[in-house]
Amino acid sequence: MQSESLLDVSGLTKVYGNKGSLFVPRKEILAVNKVSFSINRGETFGLIGESGSGKTTIGRMVMRLIDATAGDIQYKGKSILSMKKGEMDKLRNEMQIIFQDSGSAFNPRKTIGEQILHPLNKFYPGNEAQIQYKKVIEMLDVVGLRSDFYHRYPHELSGGQRQRAGIARALIVKPKFLVLDEPVSALDVSVKAQIMNLLIELQKEFQLTYLFIAHNLDLVAYFCDRVAVLSKGKMIETAPTIDLFRKPQHEVTQKLLSSILTLDGDLGDYYRKQSVI
Ligand SMILES: Nc1ncnc2c1ncn2[C@@H]1O[C@H](COP(=O)(O)OP(=O)(O)O)[C@@H](O)[C@H]1O
Ligand SMILES: [Mg+2]
């Protein structure tokens, strides 16, 4: 039987530092301090904390975009930190990351379609061009973009559309696990809700597991099954979302919670309809 958990992080630590020189003093920043958590298959696990608390650093270590200083990360029970490059490359299509503005990572001189096609050709080479093209069009449809977006350039898209295109590029290689690093923070309130709903639909459709990173609790409320609260690199509280809302244990969590109660405008109404607040 396969284990329930898809990702197990234990004692994960990251120290950033320069080596120092005659003119620059040696400086070290303990960005992530012995963080441990597990994410079950199909679950959405929230990671919240104020700016600079180490969330992005954790997301990037999990994706192996940066090295960990200490600790372990297991994906499907296998340590990814000790994986060789070839083995890790094979995993790359299973694990994808969506940034605050993933769309901004598109090359301005190539069309959206060409760039969504690129990872498809890399991970699934050998298909006929026509089949690959069809797959890109299908994926554009999945994220709510018409087929003519294939031929558009990044600057011809709105922020929300670019984020949709970024999601399409991540999903084209059929990942199982997605790190969502503040995926809607840069978007307008109404677009935020649309993209969040899209992510929820996609999770159901493709049985995705999410690590959802946010700097406050508003989105976490209806999106995450469990939440971990991070403060200054340390994990100070983990709980099922509902418990965290009802009985925050830590002062930092209470502070984060108070921001959601003062939410107003469209998004506030949206959460109230969802009976979250
Ligand atoms: N490449 C880097 N070099 C040195 N320090 C960094 C680097 N990236 C992040 N940091 C520091 O590590 C801490 C955590 O940053 P980060 O993971 O980006 O936090 P968050 O995503 O929660 O805002 C911060 O103090 C930040 O200044
Ligand atoms: Mg960040």
Side-chain angles (χ1 to χ4, degrees):
M1 212 179 95
Q2 279 184 323
S3 87
E4 261 294 291
S5 74
L6 186 69
L7 189 86
D8 296 287
V9 170
S10 56
L12 194 62
T13 299
K14 177 70 184 180
V15 178
Y16 290 111
N18 57 13
K19 289 201 176 82
S21 69
L22 195 55
F23 306 106
V24 184
R26 191 182 153 84
K27 198 176 148 206
E28 288 190 334
I29 297 167
L30 180 58
V32 176
N33 189 358
K34 297 195 191 108
V35 163
S36 304
F37 58 88
S38 292
I39 307 180
N40 295 328
R41 283 163 204 268
E43 184 179 42
T44 298
F45 188 83
L47 198 58
I48 59 162
E50 70 270 35
S51 178
S53 56
K55 307 179 298 292
T56 295
T57 302
I58 292 176
R60 295 177 79 86
M61 283 193 283
V62 165
M63 294 299 300
R64 268 199 81 177
L65 296 172
I66 53 172
D67 287 329
T69 306
D72 197 17
I73 302 166
Q74 298 203 347
Y75 181 78
K76 291 183 179 167
K78 247 183 130 180
S79 173
I80 61 168
L81 296 186
S82 51
M83 273 183 193
K84 298 254 157 42
K85 194 181 168 296
E87 216 176 343
M88 195 59 215
D89 282 349
K90 274 191 216 135
L91 252 191
R92 289 255 178 251
N93 57 348
E94 286 211 21
M95 303 169 86
Q96 291 285 316
I97 186 164
I98 304 280
F99 304 104
Q100 221 179 72
D101 184 5
S102 291
S104 70
F106 283 113
N107 179 337
R109 280 177 294 276
K110 285 190 173 165
T111 69
I112 294 295
E114 282 170 327
Q115 296 183 70
I116 298 174
L117 189 69
H118 182 75
L120 188 61
N121 281 336
K122 185 174 160 204
F123 287 111
Y124 300 95
N127 280 345
E128 273 175 49
Q130 194 57 28
I131 293 174
Q132 300 288 66
Y133 173 77
K134 214 173 131 232
K135 283 190 174 161
V136 174
I137 297 295
E138 278 169 11
M139 190 48 74
L140 285 173
D141 184 52
V142 164
V143 300
L145 295 175
R146 291 188 315 270
S147 58
D148 60 286
F149 277 82
Y150 187 101
H151 302 288
R152 290 205 194 179
Y153 288 88
H155 74 271
E156 297 173 308
L157 271 61
S158 71
Q161 288 166 343
R162 267 215 310 271
Q163 196 62 326
R164 285 176 192 272
I167 294 170
R169 183 176 51 186
L171 287 185
I172 196 88
V173 295
K174 302 190 196 122
K176 297 263 174 272
F177 174 75
L178 252 67
V179 174
L180 306 169
D181 190 354
E182 310 215 24
V184 298
S185 293
L187 303 173
D188 292 342
V189 163
S190 61
V191 183
K192 261 186 207 209
Q194 287 168 16
I195 299 290
M196 290 305 288
N197 284 332
L198 173 67
L199 289 167
I200 291 169
E201 281 168 30
L202 294 172
Q203 181 170 40
K204 280 192 215 134
E205 190 171 344
F206 299 105
Q207 281 114 44
L208 299 168
T209 303
Y210 287 155
L211 170 59
F212 179 72
I213 295 174
H215 63 268
N216 58 21
L217 272 165
D218 57 3
L219 297 162
V220 166
Y222 76 102
F223 193 59
C224 297
D225 301 297
R226 284 185 304 133
V227 183
V229 183
L230 209 66
S231 178
K232 300 185 184 107
K234 271 198 160 163
M235 217 157 96
I236 54 169
E237 188 168 351
T238 317
T241 311
I242 198 95
D243 295 347
L244 196 86
F245 272 78
R246 288 201 181 128
K247 268 197 187 154
Q249 300 292 319
H250 204 282
E251 201 185 325
V252 173
T253 315
Q254 281 160 10
K255 213 173 113 202
L256 289 165
L257 207 56
S258 65
S259 71
I260 189 173
L261 299 174
T262 56
L263 255 188
D264 52 341
D266 293 352
L267 207 58
D269 288 343
Y270 184 80
Y271 295 123
R272 275 183 277 281
K273 268 188 226 135
Q274 308 270 332
S275 309
V276 175
I277 56 175

